[in-house]
Amino acid sequence: MPGSFIRAAAEDARPLFDVYTFATPNSVKVPIALEELGLSYTLHGVNVRKGEQKTPEFLALNPNGKVPVLLDRTVENGPFVLTESAAILVYLAEKTGQLLPAGGDARARVFEQLFFHASGLSPAFGQSGFFQRFAAEPQPIAIERFSSEAKRTLGVLDGVLANRPFVAGEVFTIADIAHFGWLWRRAFAGVSFEDAPNVARWYGTIEARPAVQRGIARVEALVPQD
């Protein structure tokens, strides 16, 4: 039961989770969620700039070669290893009974936003940034395609937030955490809040949350200072 898990977590001084991560848009979601839920965890830096996500040791955890990865040490015969940031957010929310409505329309709205993020906003932002910054040769068609799509999906989110304080409704949920990750790194995709005032208002609210600030600080501490 979620309540018994929370009580057990409070009584256990050992970190309950291991998180393999870096200061990336998808990675930051997991420490933020753990901070919001008040759960103890240990971060393990995986420097994607140096290709550490492609080492045999990391691929043994995630054959897809991407961060983040969560190890749950509270399960019997564990640890339980889980990848994909949205799946991790749902897992933690269901395990604790927090940040995700139990059922009905409110729960459906959270999943609606999670799928919109996974299928729309996140890939558009990622591809926009890649073709602007990392392509071996300039690809004008790809840059135009994905830059436009990043701005379009941001506009969709702005429309959603014109009618509600949080992305899935009246309360803060894991859907807000999911969207926050890429909007935290919006400069990579070449987008701004100039034409998205509702997103800007929402972002300021999320960014001001103490748990969000703690999660960001912990992942940023993993980045080597050149």
Side-chain angles (χ1 to χ4, degrees):
M1 296 294 291
S4 61
F5 170 78
I6 294 170
R7 287 192 296 273
E11 295 169 357
D12 193 336
R14 299 170 299 171
L16 303 175
F17 301 92
D18 289 281
V19 183
Y20 291 80
T21 186
F22 200 58
T24 68
N26 289 321
S27 286
V28 75
K29 303 169 190 177
V30 179
I32 287 175
L34 290 165
E35 292 288 346
E36 288 281 354
L37 295 167
L39 300 174
S40 60
Y41 61 100
T42 299
L43 286 187
H44 304 272
V46 180
N47 192 332
V48 299
R49 298 175 183 174
K50 296 182 177 180
E52 292 177 357
Q53 76 278 22
K54 303 300 183 182
T55 63
E57 294 79 10
F58 184 79
L59 290 172
L61 293 173
N62 184 6
N64 198 28
K66 294 184 178 182
V67 289
V69 176
L70 178 80
L71 272 67
D72 181 355
R73 299 191 177 281
T74 70
V75 298
E76 188 175 357
N77 299 320
F80 174 66
V81 181
L82 189 63
T83 68
E84 297 296 330
S85 59
I88 294 170
L89 292 178
V90 173
Y91 177 77
L92 292 172
E94 290 186 331
K95 193 175 185 72
T96 60
Q98 299 181 64
L99 301 180
L100 178 63
D105 295 351
R107 184 181 179 89
R109 288 295 178 209
V110 172
F111 279 96
E112 178 182 52
Q113 286 300 311
L114 287 176
F115 282 110
F116 168 62
H117 182 80
S119 66
L121 191 146
S122 177
F125 275 45
Q127 296 288 5
S128 177
F130 173 82
F131 282 106
Q132 291 182 67
R133 298 170 183 272
F134 298 134
E137 297 181 359
Q139 302 288 335
I141 294 176
I143 291 172
E144 173 61 24
R145 168 72 176 88
F146 290 110
S147 295
S148 297
E149 186 64 5
K151 293 174 183 176
R152 187 193 71 81
T153 54
L154 183 66
V156 171
L157 187 61
D158 195 67
V160 167
L161 288 165
N163 301 308
R164 58 183 81 152
F166 298 99
V167 298
E170 298 298 316
V171 298
F172 176 80
T173 68
I174 55 173
D176 295 287
I177 297 174
H179 282 310
F180 181 85
W182 264 110
L183 294 170
W184 175 59
R185 287 290 190 246
R186 62 192 178 277
F188 174 79
V191 301
S192 72
F193 294 152
E194 183 177 355
D195 297 319
N198 300 307
V199 176
R201 180 267 308 161
W202 165 88
Y203 183 88
T205 298
I206 306 303
E207 187 181 38
R209 295 175 71 92
V212 173
Q213 295 175 2
R214 292 194 301 270
I216 291 173
R218 290 197 63 177
V219 295
E220 287 185 335
L222 298 174
V223 180
Q225 299 301 309
D226 299 327

